[in-house]
Amino acid sequence: MLHENLGINEKGRLTFAGADAVLLAEKYGTPLMLLDEERIRRNIRRYKEALLECFGEGSFPLFASKALCFKGIYRLAKEEGIGMDAVSVGELYTAKAAGFDLSKAYFHGNNKTDADIAYAVENGVGAFVVDNADELLALEKYLASADKKQDILLRITPGIDPHTHKAIVTGSVDSKFGSAIETGQAEEITRLALSLPHIVLKGFHCHVGSQIFDIEPFTEAADIMLRFIAYVAAETGYTAEVLNLGGGLGVKYVEGQPELDYAAVIRDMAAVIKLRASAIGCALPHILLEPGRSLVADAGVTLYTVGSVKTIKGYKSYVSVDGGMPDNPRYALYEAPYTVLLASKAAEKADFICSVVGRCCESGDILQENVDIPKPVRGDILAVLCTGAYNYAMASNYNRIPRPAVVWVKEGADRLAIRRESFEDMTRLEV
Ligand code: LLP
């Protein structure tokens, strides 16, 4: 099985976090997203403990909540004592509504509006991750009028190509995010931040990309950022306290991809970072990481009911399910690979090659192509594995399809996390 929270029971059905997936599909209906609570806690603890062990107090993970945003996940993050990375006021609002302390929130985004700035300052956001000079000046203006000070990090682009899908590369010089070291704009914005009376510069941030399995892009980015910190210290006398290296560690979606041990990766990163910091004579700042995918992806499974099974003679076969790109647009967007199983016949021989498609009026509404599963019939339950990250968070109502329900599963017991969207929910804003 792809991950250790998956299994097959005596009825030949898929189990997830100790529960029979088919029974959950019957109980809650489909499409249904299951979330393994203990897996998320385990993933969080691995990051938290490794960062503390390697870098000491003040170094901790922030959950990149763009990967999965709803109140329950912030309650869990609060219980686990980690911070959060928000990219919008909507995420901040949801966290606050869940009782999450926003002083542990880092507020990202390359285009914060004046209203966003006011909301975040007034609600006590721990730090802004400031993207550009326009934002910095708008923030200073607001702080001056409110007579407040605000901690910030500056988002810097180190100029790294991590060799992942181009849509999720973010640290290259020509990226829309941050200020590049190479062009001198990182230095400029640092000097500007240091000159503004209501801005408290705590350090720097970078993020190279997502779904990365190699450690080199991270150590390379850390090296470049440490050199930048040392350069800034020499030029201005300012020493950064915090270096946030973003998120991006990869997750095993299919056989053949590695299953990273995040604690071991952090230890390896720490060894290189410490060596390089001492080589360039730079005091080690507190290190923050912003994992999203690697905290929640492998804690999610999506269940669907098979509708039609169609073989186009001499061509290919399609299995249509009751979800699709509205609940998981990642194949349509990135041709993202997923493991697909027939949950109701998980022990049977897989010998039916097909494309698993949704029910939108769009040929690109594909969950996965060239899947090998036992031949399903109408009513079978199909599972797409590793859907905890960037699935529910990116879900839409395209073709007026309601969003699925989300259910927590913990050691075989289930409880509703997000109720299924209704038709009334979808029309409630319409006057
Ligand atoms: N920090 C920053 C500033 C980010 O931009 C991101 C992701 C993260 C942290 C978290 O990265 P992670 O650990 O999840 O890789 N929708 C795409 C992924 C977009 C990621 C954007 N930024 C997907 O479905 O693959």
Side-chain angles (χ1 to χ4, degrees):
M1 281 282 165
L2 190 69
H3 299 293
E4 64 198 11
N5 51 359
L6 297 155
I8 299 175
N9 65 15
E10 63 296 341
K11 292 187 175 139
R13 293 165 169 181
L14 180 72
T15 62
F16 181 67
D20 181 321
V22 176
L23 290 181
L24 293 178
E26 282 168 7
K27 179 171 174 182
Y28 293 98
T30 56
L32 180 69
M33 177 178 276
L34 306 179
L35 281 181
D36 176 351
E37 180 181 333
E38 283 306 313
R39 184 85 176 186
I40 300 179
R41 291 189 191 276
R42 183 203 78 157
N43 292 342
I44 290 176
R45 286 173 198 167
R46 289 192 174 170
Y47 267 93
K48 193 179 164 190
E49 285 159 17
L51 280 167
L52 184 66
E53 172 197 317
C54 296
F55 299 106
E57 266 331 303
S59 294
F60 48 87
L62 313 173
F63 172 52
S65 46
K66 72 205 76 182
L68 180 63
C69 175
F70 70 105
K71 285 198 240 170
I73 200 80
Y74 294 114
R75 289 189 201 111
L76 192 149
K78 181 182 174 185
E79 282 167 20
E80 293 296 328
I82 61 169
M84 72 169 282
D85 139 2
V87 73
S88 69
V89 165
E91 290 179 355
L92 292 173
Y93 174 89
T94 309
K96 189 178 174 199
F100 189 90
D101 175 5
L102 291 187
S103 72
K104 295 176 101 173
Y106 285 67
F107 185 30
H108 279 274
N110 63 305
N111 186 17
K112 301 178 186 77
T113 65
D114 291 346
D116 293 346
I117 289 172
Y119 181 93
V121 172
E122 295 312 324
N123 285 281
V125 156
F128 276 63
V129 182
V130 172
D131 183 272
N132 55 68
D134 284 330
E135 177 190 335
L136 189 56
L137 293 172
L139 177 60
E140 170 63 23
K141 190 172 162 202
Y142 182 82
L143 293 167
S145 70
D147 192 23
K148 287 187 169 159
K149 290 201 171 199
Q150 176 67 53
D151 287 353
I152 70 153
L153 303 180
L154 287 173
R155 180 155 180 167
I156 304 298
T157 34
I160 302 257
D161 178 2
H163 303 295
T164 184
H165 192 285
K166 66 176 185 327
I168 52 178
V169 168
T170 49
S172 53
V173 175
D174 61 354
S175 155
K176 78 167 179 175
F177 301 103
S179 307
I181 296 176
E182 191 179 306
T183 60
Q185 282 156 306
E187 181 180 346
E188 270 168 40
I189 198 168
T190 304
R191 289 185 185 277
L192 178 60
L194 291 171
S195 74
L196 298 174
H198 300 87
I199 298 285
V200 183
L201 181 61
K202 300 300 275 185
F204 301 103
H205 169 280
C206 69
H207 171 78
V208 289
S210 194
Q211 184 60 355
I212 301 167
F213 290 108
D214 299 336
I215 162 181
E216 282 75 28
F218 296 97
T219 51
E220 211 184 311
D223 187 37
I224 294 169
M225 296 297 286
L226 288 168
R227 284 174 197 281
F228 179 67
I229 289 172
Y231 172 81
V232 167
E235 292 290 313
T236 69
Y238 166 74
T239 303
E241 283 168 48
V242 175
L243 174 57
N244 180 335
L245 292 171
L249 284 173
V251 170
K252 181 179 181 182
Y253 284 89
V254 287
E255 292 302 341
Q257 288 179 331
E259 182 162 7
L260 293 182
D261 173 345
Y262 302 112
V265 173
I266 291 168
R267 278 186 218 110
D268 289 351
M269 273 163 62
V272 179
I273 290 172
K274 286 176 184 172
L275 215 68
R276 294 193 180 160
S278 77
I280 57 179
C282 172
L284 200 64
H286 295 306
I287 301 291
L288 305 182
L289 291 180
E290 290 169 346
R293 191 189 308 274
S294 51
L295 295 188
V296 292
D298 63 11
V301 161
T302 307
L303 303 177
Y304 304 95
T305 301
V306 171
S308 63
V309 180
K310 182 190 287 180
T311 296
I312 307 173
K313 287 184 185 142
Y315 290 87
K316 61 192 290 192
S317 297
Y318 286 101
V319 170
S320 297
V321 296
D322 55 355
M325 65 188 290
D327 66 85
N328 183 357
R330 295 192 68 255
Y331 190 82
L333 281 171
Y334 320 118
E335 293 187 0
Y338 281 101
T339 301
V340 176
L341 299 174
L342 200 57
S344 45
K345 294 171 181 157
E348 287 185 17
K349 190 164 175 282
D351 56 3
F352 186 65
I353 311 274
C354 56
S355 286
V356 176
V357 298
R359 52 183 177 153
C360 286
C361 188
E362 175 141 343
S363 306
D365 176 18
I366 301 169
L367 284 170
Q368 203 63 203
E369 291 180 286
N370 288 315
V371 162
D372 193 5
I373 51 175
K375 189 171 181 187
V377 295
R378 188 176 179 88
D380 269 326
I381 302 298
L382 182 135
V384 177
L385 308 184
C386 212
T387 55
Y390 303 111
N391 277 219
Y392 196 87
M394 292 172 76
S396 75
N397 289 132
Y398 185 46
N399 284 188
R400 274 282 145 121
I401 292 174
R403 268 173 267 249
V406 180
V407 164
W408 288 116
V409 188
K410 183 177 178 177
E411 287 149 8
D414 52 277
R415 65 181 208 282
L416 193 64
I418 308 177
R419 72 170 168 78
R420 182 175 305 285
E421 204 167 22
S422 66
F423 297 127
E424 296 79 64
D425 289 331
M426 287 191 295
T427 51
R428 76 187 178 280
L429 305 178
E430 296 161 19
V431 289

